[in-house]
Amino acid sequence: MLDITQPILRTDVSGMPLEWIHFRHAVTLITLDQVAYTCGEFVMTVRGGINRLTQCQSKLEVNSILATCGASRAFSKACGKGPDRYTPPLHNIPLFQRDACICLYCGEKFKPAALSRDHVTPFSQGGRDNWNNVVTACVRCNNFKAGRTPEQAGMKLIAIPFTPTHAEYVYLQGRRILADQMEFLKSHFPRTSPLHQRI
């Protein structure tokens, strides 16, 4: 059965995770012969037209992971001189995923709609809007902390914020990650990644 909502994990030739793509993009890459190799399970079979001469219907089998020739343009621009310098864009959904939808002050788990982005060191005290200075907080804790540091508000952080690597960020963006895609992504996380304990 064709599940058109299942994202396909795209990697470069070396196996570095790049991005999630729609099955239409995956089919385009396959038909343009831009797929170097595939990994993971077959997730769908896409059927095309019927050949006039052979009377056979064309079909493509799409795997959950496609290694492609070339790199993502967005990744190349963001990396500058290499993947070690990559800093992913800061958005709330990947931030909440990084912190497992847990308020890092009270320790309670919430739905994303009940969460907010808190700046550990507030803007008013020289804090910046970057991964190492933001944490997931419930609205109550964020309002109580207000424009103070956790120390000034008498609050304790239960985890240290960190900047995800590119592979971690690809994981954090995923909506419906298959088991083989998860294992592949985890193999690209740093050994010291806090995400190993949260998955």
Side-chain angles (χ1 to χ4, degrees):
M1 182 173 170
L2 181 64
D3 181 3
I4 63 171
T5 62
Q6 178 56 54
I8 307 300
L9 179 60
R10 179 179 169 233
T11 75
D12 64 13
V13 175
S14 71
M16 178 57 71
L18 295 176
E19 61 192 347
W20 297 104
I21 59 173
H22 190 269
F23 89 93
R24 285 190 194 104
H25 188 184
V27 168
T28 300
L29 291 170
I30 293 168
T31 56
L32 293 176
D33 206 24
Q34 293 182 354
V35 175
Y37 58 92
T38 62
C39 300
E41 303 293 324
F42 288 116
V43 290
M44 65 184 71
T45 300
V46 180
R47 301 190 185 282
I50 296 175
N51 185 302
R52 185 174 60 85
L53 298 175
T54 65
Q55 297 300 308
C56 294
Q57 185 175 29
S58 64
K59 68 175 184 177
L60 285 175
E61 291 188 332
V62 181
N63 287 62
S64 61
I65 304 167
L66 301 179
T68 58
C69 307
S72 164
R73 281 176 285 171
F75 180 60
S76 299
K77 277 184 188 176
C79 287
K81 296 180 181 173
D84 294 340
R85 302 205 176 185
Y86 176 76
T87 301
L90 178 58
H91 299 292
N92 281 353
I93 296 302
L95 170 66
F96 299 162
Q97 285 288 98
R98 180 198 72 179
D99 297 340
C101 290
I102 294 172
C103 171
L104 292 193
Y105 293 110
C106 68
E108 302 264 336
K109 189 166 182 118
F110 293 89
K111 291 188 176 180
L115 293 170
S116 61
R117 179 191 306 186
D118 176 64
H119 294 84
V120 179
T121 302
F123 284 129
S124 60
Q125 298 188 40
R128 297 184 180 242
D129 194 33
N130 62 37
W131 285 96
N132 291 333
N133 189 48
V134 295
V135 295
T136 300
C138 68
V139 175
R140 184 180 62 80
C141 286
N142 203 349
N143 287 339
F144 177 78
K145 179 177 169 286
R148 301 175 289 178
T149 64
E151 294 78 17
Q152 292 165 344
M155 303 169 82
K156 288 187 179 178
L157 276 172
I158 62 172
I160 298 170
F162 68 95
T163 301
T165 64
H166 191 269
E168 290 170 322
Y169 187 67
V170 170
Y171 158 72
L172 295 173
Q173 289 181 303
R175 297 284 189 268
R176 295 177 56 214
I177 303 176
L178 300 173
D180 57 347
Q181 292 170 330
M182 180 69 75
E183 286 306 309
F184 187 88
L185 286 169
K186 280 170 63 177
S187 71
H188 287 83
F189 293 177
R191 280 186 222 163
T192 57
S193 172
L195 293 179
H196 285 296
Q197 297 155 1
R198 298 178 193 172
I199 296 174

